[in-house]
């Protein structure tokens, strides 16, 4: 099973060169049934990564470009009166796909943002008193530009919490960029579909059944309680965050060919899982604080 | 309800006040109880605390009661009362934790002051409980948010219990220093013997079931009635029979011959009098005891604490071969103008009697035949000629009536006689010792018979013969009257077998406590040390003392170390730390820096170490595998794995 995962990773590495760690994290997020937020400057390959992920996992994919004039109906769909049947019939919007790339989510108005976030939480959309289930699996990979860029509506903290992870890609190193310039990277259209749909679901089930030993649970508790100590953080980690930590760590362990979680797994996924939940705006400062959490909280022996 | 330190401290003072209620001024105790109740209610936040004016007024009022009701002469009672009053008042106004801490400190003195009054087993246990409660209160003081009573109580109990072995060790081994100053014993209201015997104006003999002393006989106890002599009343006046002050030095006491003497040990409870108790002609070689020429034992001061002494007794009539003129004069003096009818009776009998011994017998017969009644509730006889009123009219009385009257009649007939008071009989307890209670108090007459010396004349023997057989509590004919007169006590319930069983067993426990703990004095300690250490020299004593103190310190530090010992709650944590320490000791500064980086996970450190020591990498990886399987995969550590781990660590840490 994990050789398949290795294949997925090497497959994606052909498209996103030199970003193996980010690829693994993104994959971890999807395997742990979470939604992914990618924050970075334009032109770093956010869209490419999400498209490549969907393509490798053989899932239906739709990209929605969020703009300030985008309305909820534009993504959910709408009921249209059929003159022949004299009834309203629901026309599904782009949201009815397995992988949604919500590109530049923070450029859309709050109303549209929250329509998307509601769909992420409930795996269904409601319109005119009817509920329409979304396909399974249902992933949202949202990208956002840094907050300081013009024309952005920042996501509220409570909605940021709905994303299991937030990652950023960063600049590629010189060698990787050289390869890109030389055109050595593969086009997304050429990517092979590695995982079948049922294989993917099997992996997800396997991950969610993974047990976690008490030292690791203790470690997670120590971390969240550390952030809850008075005066340390304006928004300490919630129980949803502890659950996110444990689920992400399981998937991370699976990717690394293990059926058990170690504190190393927690440390590996910790920055991606908690950074956007501690509600601090400066990226650099966030990383420092997470570094502090990791050094201050003792690892259970 | 908010149960906090202040509430618990109020309860403690409440209990102490109740315990001391018997000994201190009842008005003051009532006042202290009221103040404590107020403090209790304030601590529960039911009633507001008094403001400064009210507090000052209360202080003035209590001081007034204190000096009027307790007085300045009785220093011990005064100081204990002052301590109680002040701590109760302080509790009433205490608001901060600092106040409560000071109160806790003062409480330790208040609790200890209980021992000024009683040192028996019950009181000792109660004080132990009070100390535990006090520690609980202090523990609760440390808790800011949630106050856990049970947790604090447990902690306090553990501290007290862990102190007990050290206490025992100090008690057994550390020499008892003589007190640097003598504390006057608190004077307690005694219901026992009185230095003046004048029974005639008493209408109802109030009885107390307090223990007076315990007697353990070296051999078998005597079969004759046991007359425990305590005081000799030789001086007669219309107020009654009083003690002669100046007789102690007149004659030299005789030491009874060892062979015929009856030996016994007495543990005397504290009393407000200096007199001790002995059978017949008593003699004691225990230090601090005065042997008087008349066979009476005494101490120079009142019995302010329980004491133990050895005594021997020889028959009374052997003791003084002849009566000197001084004694004769004293023991014949009466007021010739009073009690004419009794004097007349004496003269009649004297005329008929051939010898003094015959007179003795005839007077006994007179008491037996003339309808005299033994009662604990006689009519009160007042005014002059009380002896006449008793002998002719009422003919109802208890020991004091008979003893006074008989002594008067003997003196009227020209036969030297005196009134002796003490105790008669005693309750034989299953443990083989006798308990003598206040209600066993008795008075009788001693008559000087030529050739026989002092002889006991006890009219009670013919009026109420069963009184001689044992304790008054065991007398059949007097039971009802006795029970009616008795204060509320265990004894009034003795006809329930279960309660009686409990009573005697608790008494035995208390006897053991008194003999072993209170009776453990310097000489007992010396013999104990001699038994355990062999010959005692100053050197061995010094070694023992230093050793004991050292042992106490060692156990303290041992306890502290034990409490702070590294606890390896999880398997392999200890082994992992061993490896870590080894790796740190064998690392270059840069490597050591990596190893000590905070927050590094164990597996990461192990992999770092295996990189740093490539030759041992294989073993370290094996260890890491087992560690990871036990810690992160919930696999149990097998016996063979444990052996393997030990071997791995040996191999890795070997040079």
């Amino acid at each position: 099973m994990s050789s398949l995962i290795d294949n997925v990773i090497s497959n994606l590495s052909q498209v996103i060169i030199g970003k193996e760690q980010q690829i693994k994290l993104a994959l971890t997020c999807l395997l742990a049934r979470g939604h992914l937020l990618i924050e970075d400057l334009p032109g770093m390959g956010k869209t490419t990564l999400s498209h490549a992920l969907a393509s490798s996992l053989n899932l239906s994919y739709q990209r929605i470009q969020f703009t300030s004039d985008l309305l909820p109906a534009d993504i959910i769909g709408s009921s249209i009166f059929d003159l022949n049947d004299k009834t309203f019939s629901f026309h599904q919007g782009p949201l009815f796909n397995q992988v949604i790339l919500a590109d530049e989510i923070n450029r859309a108005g709050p109303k549209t943002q929250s329509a998307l976030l509601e769909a992420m939480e409930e795996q269904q959309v409601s319109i005119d008193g009817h509920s329409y289930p979304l396909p399974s699996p249902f992933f949202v990979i949202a990208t956002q530009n840094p907050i300081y860029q013009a024309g952005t509506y920042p996501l509220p903290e409570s909605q940021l919490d709905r994303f299991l992870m937030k990652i950023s890609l960063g600049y590629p190193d010189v060698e990787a960029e050289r390869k890109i310039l030389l055109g050595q990277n593969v086009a997304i259209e050429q990517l092979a579909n590695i995982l079948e749909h049922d294989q993917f679901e099997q992996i997800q089930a396997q991950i969610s059944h993974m047990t976690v030993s008490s030292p690791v649970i203790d470690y997670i508790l120590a971390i969240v309680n550390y952030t809850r100590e008075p005066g340390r953080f304006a928004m300490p980690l919630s129980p949803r965050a502890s659950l996110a930590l444990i689920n992400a760590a399981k998937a991370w362990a699976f990717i690394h060919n293990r059926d058990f979680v170690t504190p190393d797994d927690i440390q590996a996924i910790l920055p991606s899982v908690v950074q956007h939940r501690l509600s601090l705006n400066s990226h650099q400062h966030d990383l420092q604080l997470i570094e502090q959490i990791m050094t201050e909280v003792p690892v259970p022996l | 309800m908010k149960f906090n330190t202040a509430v618990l401290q109020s309860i403690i003072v409440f209990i102490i006040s109740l315990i001391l209620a018997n000994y201190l001024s009842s008005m003051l105790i009532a006042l202290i109880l009221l103040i404590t109740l107020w403090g209790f209610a304030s601590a529960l936040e039911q009633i507001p605390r008094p403001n400064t004016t009210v507090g000052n007024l209360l202080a003035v009022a209590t001081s007034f009661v204190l000096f009027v009701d307790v007085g300045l002469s009785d220093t011990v009672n005064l100081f204990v009362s002052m301590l109680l009053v002040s701590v109760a008042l302080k509790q009433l106004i205490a608001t901060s934790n600092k106040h409560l801490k000071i109160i806790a400190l003062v409480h330790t003195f208040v609790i200890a002051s209980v021992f000024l009054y009683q040192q028996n087993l019950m009181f000792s246990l109660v004080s132990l409980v009070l100390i535990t409660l006090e520690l609980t209160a202090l523990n609760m003081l440390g808790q800011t948010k949630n106050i856990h009573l049970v947790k604090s109580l447990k902690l306090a109990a553990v501290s007290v219990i862990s102190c007990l072995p050290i206490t025992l060790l100090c008690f057994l081994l550390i020499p008892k220093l003589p007190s640097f100053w003598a504390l006057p014993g608190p004077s307690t209201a005694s219901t026992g013997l009185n230095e003046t015997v004048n029974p005639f104006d008493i209408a109802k003999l109030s009885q107390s079931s307090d223990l007076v002393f315990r007697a353990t006989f070296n051999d078998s106890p005597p079969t004759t009635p046991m007359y425990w002599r305590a005081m000799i009343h030789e001086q007669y006046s219309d107020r009654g029979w009083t003690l002669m002050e100046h007789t102690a030095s007149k004659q030299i006491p005789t030491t009874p011959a060892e062979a015929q003497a009856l030996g016994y040990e007495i543990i005397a409870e504290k009393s407000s009098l200096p007199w001790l108790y002995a059978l017949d002609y008593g003699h004691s070689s225990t230090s601090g005891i005065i042997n008087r020429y008349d066979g009476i034992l005494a101490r120079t001061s009142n019995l302010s604490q329980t004491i133990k002494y050895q005594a021997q007794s020889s028959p009374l009539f052997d003791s003084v071969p002849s009566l000197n003129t001084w004694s004769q004069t004293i023991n014949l003096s009466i007021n010739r103008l009073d009690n004419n009818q009794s004097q007349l009776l004496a003269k009649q009998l004297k005329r008929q009697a051939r010898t003094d011994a015959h007179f003795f017998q005839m007077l006994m017969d007179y008491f037996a035949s003339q309808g005299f009644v033994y009662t604990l509730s006689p009519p009160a006889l007042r005014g002059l000629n009380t002896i006449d009123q008793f002998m002719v009219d009422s003919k109802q009385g208890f020991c004091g009536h008979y003893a006074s009257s008989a002594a008067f009649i003997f003196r009227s007939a020209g036969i030297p006689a005196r009134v002796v008071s003490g105790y008669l009989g005693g309750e034989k307890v299953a443990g083989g010792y006798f308990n003598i209670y206040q209600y066993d108090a008795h008075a009788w007459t001693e008559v000087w018979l030529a050739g026989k010396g002092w002889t006991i004349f006890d009219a009670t023997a013919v009026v109420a013969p069963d009184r001689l057989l044992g304790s008054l509590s065991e007398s059949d004919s007097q039971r009802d009257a006795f029970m009616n007169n008795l204060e509320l006590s265990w004894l009034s319930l003795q006809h329930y077998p279960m309660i009686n069983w409990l009573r005697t067993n608790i008494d035995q426990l208390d006897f053991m406590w008194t003999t072993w703990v209170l009776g453990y004095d310097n000489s007992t300690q010396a013999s104990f040390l001699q038994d355990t250490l062999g010959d005692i020299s100053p050197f061995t004593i010094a070694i023992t003392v230093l050793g004991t103190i050292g042992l106490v310190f060692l156990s303290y530090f041992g306890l502290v170390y034990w409490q702070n010992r590294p606890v390896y709650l999880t398997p392999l944590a200890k082994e992992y730390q061993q490896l870590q320490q080894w790796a740190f000791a064998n690392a270059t500064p840069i490597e050591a820096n990596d190893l000590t980086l905070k927050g590094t996970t164990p597996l990461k450190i192990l992999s770092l170490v295996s990189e740093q020591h490539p030759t041992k990498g294989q073993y370290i990886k094996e260890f890491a595998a087992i560690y990871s399987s036990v810690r992160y995969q919930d696999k149990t550590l097998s016996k063979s794995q444990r052996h393997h781990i030990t071997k791995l660590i040996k191999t890795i840490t070997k040079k």
Side-chain angles (χ1 to χ4, degrees), chain B residues 465-467 469 471-482:
Chain B
D466 58 348
R467 176 70 186 86
L469 295 179
S471 175
L472 184 58
S473 63
E474 296 161 346
S475 157
D476 288 332
S477 62
Q478 300 302 322
R479 173 157 296 142
D480 290 344
F482 166 69

Side-chain angles (χ1 to χ4, degrees), chain A residues 213 215 260 263-264 267 294 301, chain B residues 598-599 601 627 631-633:
Chain A
S213 63
F260 58 92
D264 306 77
Q267 291 193 345
M294 284 207 271
L301 294 185
Chain B
K598 273 176 159 184
T601 61
Y627 183 87
R631 296 297 292 140
Y632 304 132
Q633 297 172 62

Side-chain angles (χ1 to χ4, degrees), chain A residues 211-216 219 259-264 267 294-301, chain B residues 570-571 573 576-577 580 597-604 627-634:
Chain A
T211 55
V212 179
S213 63
S214 54
V216 177
Y219 188 43
D259 61 351
F260 58 92
V261 182
T262 70
D264 306 77
Q267 291 193 345
M294 284 207 271
T295 53
E296 293 287 316
V297 178
V299 185
L301 294 185
Chain B
T570 54
Y576 169 75
Q577 284 193 336
Q580 205 184 11
L597 209 60
K598 273 176 159 184
T600 316
T601 61
L603 291 180
K604 209 171 277 170
Y627 183 87
S628 142
S629 81
V630 171
R631 296 297 292 140
Y632 304 132
Q633 297 172 62
D634 290 333

